[in-house]
Amino acid sequence: MNKAQQNTTHFGFKTVQEDKKAELVAGVFHSVATKYDVMNDVLSLGIHRVWKRFTIDCSGIRKGQKALDLAGGTGDLTAKFSRIVGPTGQVVLADINDSMLKVGRSKLRDMGIVGNVDYIQANAEELPFPDNFFDIVTIAFGLRNVTDKDKALASIYRVLKPGGRLLVLEFSKPIYKPLSKFYDFYSFNVLPKLGKLIANDSESYRYLAESIRMHPNQETLKEMMANVGFEDTEYFNLSAGIVALHRGYKY
């Protein structure tokens, strides 16, 4: 039995072999891709748009720069980056899931966003880009699905230019106990039912709730970023910690 077969990781609350997780996660996103934007609006009451706007504001991105929207899915951040960097800049929308990538490409082209955006199917753990290439890397609601998060963070660090920054927007741990209880009830009782009603898929949204609980908390993720080399790491709690934005710099 080789090492890959022996090592295990989490898929929601389940324990699975490491080499099987990517396939299982892929199944989730193949299933929800066409309803992804609608579900985001419904489940967050539209607040995900505010979280993403805050991420853009914290990125400091400027005209002519190169940005990587990793696990970019349907391209919400890519669309905003594209307009800011302009024709002299470049944005790469990368996702490991080809169904999400196809939805993103179709959506952005329908919006008239062409010319400075490239689409690449890529694994966050082994990014197919040169060293010191991007000014900005964002990963929004994708890191929790990565099997080896430390490896992914190190891969991101490698492709960032000196002076570049990483922004991780992800579900995190609520900072108020009463909110945590309500959030747990919503996540495990309401969310799967909405998934069944709108996307005809309750299991994928049950996985979403479970994967959030297994994701590192704010301080742990900050430490993980520092361990691979990021400096001046910090985080901002959004919606009382239901979501957090982490930022770190490569000097």
Side-chain angles (χ1 to χ4, degrees):
M1 184 178 289
N2 63 40
K3 186 177 179 182
Q5 291 174 315
Q6 292 172 339
N7 290 346
T8 60
T9 188
H10 296 288
F11 176 73
F13 289 162
K14 298 174 184 175
T15 299
V16 299
Q17 293 178 351
E18 277 190 353
D19 58 351
K20 299 294 184 185
K21 179 170 179 175
E23 179 183 338
L24 291 167
V25 171
V28 169
F29 285 94
H30 285 314
S31 176
V32 304
T34 58
K35 297 287 187 179
Y36 188 76
D37 285 341
V38 173
M39 288 298 293
N40 277 350
D41 280 329
V42 170
L43 298 178
S44 74
L45 304 177
I47 299 172
H48 74 100
R49 299 174 185 275
V50 178
W51 299 332
K52 289 169 182 172
R53 183 72 256 178
F54 183 73
T55 302
I56 296 290
D57 291 344
C58 288
S59 74
I61 194 163
R62 301 188 305 275
K63 184 177 178 180
Q65 290 190 321
K66 291 186 176 74
L68 170 62
D69 182 11
L70 183 57
T74 57
D76 285 348
L77 292 180
T78 294
K80 292 179 171 63
F81 281 146
S82 172
R83 294 187 179 105
I84 295 170
V85 302
T88 60
Q90 179 188 12
V91 185
V92 176
L93 171 55
D95 203 292
I96 196 171
N97 188 281
D98 65 315
S99 295
M100 294 291 286
L101 210 53
K102 286 173 183 173
V103 171
R105 183 191 295 115
S106 177
K107 173 178 147 183
L108 295 190
R109 287 180 177 173
D110 286 348
M111 293 168 65
I113 296 173
V114 294
N116 66 351
V117 176
D118 296 307
Y119 302 88
I120 295 180
Q121 188 172 358
N123 185 337
E125 297 175 22
E126 299 175 356
L127 293 173
F129 307 108
D131 295 355
N132 308 316
F133 189 73
F134 292 103
D135 298 285
I136 307 288
V137 176
T138 58
I139 179 166
F141 305 111
L143 186 61
R144 73 178 186 283
N145 298 312
V146 174
T147 303
D148 190 334
K149 295 173 180 60
D150 294 307
K151 190 175 180 182
L153 290 170
S155 183
I156 292 167
Y157 185 85
R158 178 186 64 78
V159 303
L160 273 170
K161 294 178 181 178
R165 69 202 69 179
L166 164 65
L167 294 106
V168 181
L169 182 67
E170 188 55 89
F171 293 108
S172 201
K173 302 296 184 282
I175 57 179
Y176 303 117
K177 188 167 283 188
L179 178 61
S180 292
K181 291 181 179 178
F182 170 78
Y183 186 46
D184 283 344
F185 176 82
Y186 175 80
S187 298
F188 292 103
N189 294 278
V190 179
L191 194 152
K193 290 176 182 176
L194 287 173
K196 178 66 175 176
L197 182 68
I198 298 171
N200 195 31
D201 185 349
S202 60
E203 284 306 306
S204 291
Y205 287 91
R206 189 173 304 281
Y207 161 75
L208 168 64
E210 294 177 358
S211 68
I212 292 168
R213 299 319 185 278
M214 301 306 295
H215 186 68
N217 65 22
Q218 288 91 324
E219 285 293 333
T220 302
L221 180 54
K222 179 182 175 184
E223 184 177 340
M224 290 168 66
M225 290 172 64
N227 287 343
V228 301
F230 285 101
E231 298 183 59
D232 291 341
T233 55
E234 59 185 333
Y235 62 84
F236 307 89
N237 283 316
L238 308 177
S239 300
I242 288 175
V243 165
L245 176 67
H246 283 70
R247 180 170 62 184
Y249 297 80
K250 176 179 177 178
Y251 294 136

